[in-house]
Amino acid sequence: MSVDASVEILRWYDSGPRPLPWRAEGGERPDPYRVWLSEIMLQQTTIAAVRPFFDKFHRRWPSVEALAGADEGELMAAWAGLGYYARARNLHACARKVATEHGGAFPETEAELLRLPGIGRYTAAAIAAIAFGKRAVVVDGNVERVVSRLFAVDEPLPAARARLYSLTDRVTPAERAGDFAQAMMDLGRTICTPRRPRCGICPLAERCIAFEQGCQESFPRKLPKPAKPHREGLAYWLQHEGHVLLVRRPARGLLGGMLALPTGPWADHAALDEAAPAKVQWEEVGSVDHVFTHFSLRLRIVRGEAQDRTAAGIWWPVESLGEAGLPTVFAKAAARAREASLPLLGKAA
């Protein structure tokens, strides 16, 4: 397949680009802030999940300067539920750097963009191409799938990534690289899907080696995934007169900077230990399961009644707990604790 195929995919894209809230329409110039915000949110996350968060963020912080001045706790709470919370911390750090060191204007080249927090090779290329019209090679998971099928790349991921990047470079046009990148991503999301690709309406079907061989769904090649390690932990629901104790997790590490229920260490086994926020009688009321990127977790929930609010942390009204911005795993644990009907065995131990 030669670079001429870009003409075909751009023609397909021009026939009806997918409407997305961060895309420029009707010949408008793309807004680098919207492009950057969407690309950070879309890392390892679906468009369906990102849409409401993007709209909420853009209404609340309509410019990079506004986001740079945001309270970090409010930003993290607004991000709650989107996952991969290091992205939110990097988002804030990047906004501050653009506002203070670049006069509120995003740099236009990949090299300069790569110096900003939270921006790697893919994101730098996407911003340079989409927001500034630079020729850049944009390769996400959708593009990897399209290109691996076009060229029937037998080498499995992740080892194949260098070759897939080189092949994408070969077909990326000098002009309209941003539209080409968005077209390739749209093609992967809507037509060249992981299962049951709709090859009959694909603008590149006649050039696709995998389609010709009838083995589209076998690409990209992947090695078997190793089993995720499993961990267990305890979450403490300590309540007093309509309030529950929350703590803010350390800035660095998993779910860093987020409000959460107090918890002990997550290890092979969970037991009541010195992590308990108060010496009260604890009653186990259930558990929730959650899968993180690198491990699965079973979080057992124990509930206790405090005699006062001297335990260190933030005593949050239970009725407005939805406003605390708890990460998904702790939101599930809180819901389980509130639903539990088991009576407490007593108050102070």
Side-chain angles (χ1 to χ4, degrees):
M1 183 176 110
S2 70
V3 73
D4 293 339
S6 65
V7 175
E8 295 166 4
I9 195 168
L10 284 169
R11 185 183 297 121
W12 170 78
Y13 183 71
D14 289 341
S15 69
R18 191 177 185 186
L20 296 171
W22 46 83
R23 280 186 178 169
E25 297 180 354
E28 294 177 350
R29 180 170 179 156
D31 179 358
Y33 173 65
R34 293 168 70 91
V35 173
W36 163 75
L37 182 59
S38 68
E39 289 297 340
I40 299 300
M41 288 185 166
L42 285 165
Q43 292 170 4
Q44 303 183 72
T45 310
T46 65
I47 285 178
V50 165
R51 276 182 185 269
F53 284 89
F54 179 87
D55 291 337
K56 177 174 64 175
F57 263 71
H58 195 262
R59 285 195 303 269
R60 190 166 183 178
W61 299 294
S63 68
V64 71
E65 293 91 346
L67 189 60
D71 175 79
E72 185 169 315
E74 291 182 11
L75 188 150
M76 296 300 287
W79 190 276
L82 196 54
Y84 302 98
Y85 294 95
R87 293 181 299 168
R89 295 192 295 274
N90 284 329
L91 189 83
H92 203 200
C94 184
R96 290 197 300 263
K97 190 164 186 177
V98 170
T100 59
E101 299 182 18
H102 296 273
F106 280 87
E108 299 186 11
T109 68
E110 289 180 81
E112 291 177 296
L113 287 163
L114 281 167
R115 299 190 185 102
L116 297 175
I119 294 184
R121 182 167 78 164
Y122 160 76
T123 307
I127 296 171
I130 298 169
F132 300 110
K134 306 291 185 182
R135 186 192 183 279
V137 182
V138 183
V139 185
D140 72 348
N142 292 295
V143 177
E144 284 183 343
R145 184 167 56 256
V146 172
V147 174
S148 71
R149 290 172 175 173
L150 281 170
F151 294 96
V153 176
D154 278 322
E155 189 176 11
L157 291 170
R161 290 212 162 102
R163 175 158 170 72
L164 292 173
Y165 182 91
S166 177
L167 291 169
T168 307
D169 188 11
R170 184 195 301 181
V171 300
T172 298
E175 302 294 330
R176 297 188 66 189
D179 286 344
F180 176 78
Q182 292 179 102
M184 290 286 279
M185 290 187 282
D186 280 2
L187 188 72
R189 291 183 186 118
T190 62
I191 292 178
C192 194
T193 50
R195 295 180 179 84
R196 293 195 285 261
R198 301 192 294 162
C199 302
I201 60 171
C202 177
L204 301 178
E206 292 184 1
R207 299 175 178 269
C208 180
I209 298 174
F211 175 62
E212 181 183 350
Q213 296 175 350
C215 55
Q216 306 93 303
E217 291 192 42
S218 67
F219 294 97
R221 308 287 200 209
K222 295 181 180 179
L223 296 173
K225 290 184 178 179
K228 289 179 185 264
H230 178 75
R231 299 178 187 172
E232 294 189 358
L234 284 174
Y236 298 92
W237 176 275
L238 183 64
Q239 60 190 29
H240 178 74
E241 295 182 350
H243 289 68
V244 62
L245 181 69
L246 301 180
V247 295
R248 191 169 295 280
R249 293 178 65 84
R252 293 189 177 276
L254 190 64
L255 308 179
M258 303 294 293
L259 285 177
L261 297 176
T263 180
W266 296 347
D268 293 338
H269 303 282
L272 285 168
D273 55 24
E274 64 276 4
K279 292 183 177 181
V280 303
Q281 183 115 12
W282 296 102
E283 176 76 9
E284 186 165 343
V285 295
S287 65
V288 295
D289 294 315
H290 193 77
V291 179
F292 292 96
T293 305
H294 300 298
F295 66 95
S296 63
L297 172 71
R298 169 154 292 179
L299 197 59
R300 291 162 46 203
I301 303 123
V302 292
R303 188 176 64 176
E305 184 76 27
Q307 292 182 328
D308 52 39
R309 297 183 199 165
T310 58
I314 301 168
W315 286 92
W316 198 282
V318 172
E319 292 306 314
S320 62
L321 196 56
E323 301 172 12
L326 297 179
T328 301
V329 62
F330 287 107
K332 291 193 293 187
R336 182 69 186 89
R338 294 182 69 179
E339 292 168 1
S341 59
L342 293 175
L344 294 174
L345 295 180
K347 293 187 179 182

